[in-house]
Each structure stands twice: as C-alpha cells, then as structure tokens.
Amino acid sequence: MSISTKRRRKIIVGDRAYVWYVAPDDDSGYDVLNIVSDDKYLILSCPLKTRTDYVISKGRVFQQKEIHSGWSRYLLPFGIPDAVTPKLAEQIIVWATEGTDAVPINAGEVRL
C-alpha cells in the first residue's frame, strides 16, 4: 500500500521514491518535516526551528540497519535552514539511508 501524496511532494533519491511534506505537530507546536519512503521502511520526522537539529526515525530501517523497536532520535550532523527545500529533504534521506555516523539522543537531551 503506497502513501498518500495529496498536498505532499514526491522525490526520487537513488532508485527509491519518497514523499516529503511539512505539517504542524499538535503536541509540540512545531512544524515538522516528514519524509516517508514509498514502501514505508524509512519514516522520518524532523522538527523545525528547534535549538537542536535532530530527526526522529519511526521506520524499520535507519542508516543501513534494521530497526526492531519504536522511535529513535538522532542528532543531525548539519543544520536545518529556515526554508525547507527538496535539496534539504534529499540531504536528510541520503544521510539516513547511506550514513553510518548517527548519534542517538534521549528525549530529555533535546533542547527545543
């Protein structure tokens, strides 16, 4: 089952299809960049305009490893610009799929 693309943008990175979009998070009040692979193996959420740039991995794979338990947070090794662009979405996808340097963080360590 593919993901809905209504009001969402498609992007192809390598040979894989993804959908990305920005939506408000009702719980935190932040806007969040969401990235989802077409097969839903990679699911990322990146809160915007926080003090600490990080991503939340909610899928079944992250940085070439199978994930078998819930959500995990990782520091981004680069900053998030004010404008969300396809280039930023691609940069996050490449880091999350090809990288090996993710630094995990606990929810209490994140400064919003």
Side-chain angles (χ1 to χ4, degrees):
M1 180 177 189
S2 66
I3 189 158
S4 170
T5 57
K6 187 175 183 178
R7 286 184 274 228
R8 299 169 185 193
R9 299 194 62 185
K10 291 182 182 181
I11 187 170
I12 304 293
V13 178
D15 60 352
R16 301 193 67 156
Y18 301 86
V19 173
W20 66 275
Y21 60 97
V22 175
D25 179 32
D26 295 332
D27 294 331
S28 70
Y30 288 98
D31 286 337
V32 176
L33 168 60
N34 296 284
I35 301 171
V36 183
S37 64
D38 205 33
D39 60 7
K40 298 181 186 172
Y41 270 77
L42 182 75
I43 302 172
L44 303 171
S45 294
C46 182
L48 303 173
K49 298 183 181 178
T50 60
R51 290 185 200 165
T52 304
D53 293 323
Y54 69 100
V55 68
I56 303 166
S57 174
K58 305 175 188 178
R60 292 182 255 167
V61 66
F62 183 77
Q63 290 204 337
Q64 307 174 46
K65 296 178 186 165
E66 291 281 330
I67 306 298
H68 301 287
S69 61
W71 297 10
S72 298
R73 290 174 176 82
Y74 301 94
L75 288 173
L76 281 170
F78 47 84
I80 301 294
D82 289 337
V84 176
T85 64
K87 184 177 178 178
L88 174 62
E90 179 181 15
Q91 184 179 15
I92 292 171
I93 291 167
V94 169
W95 173 76
T97 58
E98 298 176 12
T100 59
D101 61 348
V103 176
I105 54 176
N106 296 321
E109 296 174 13
V110 176
R111 292 189 51 166
L112 301 176

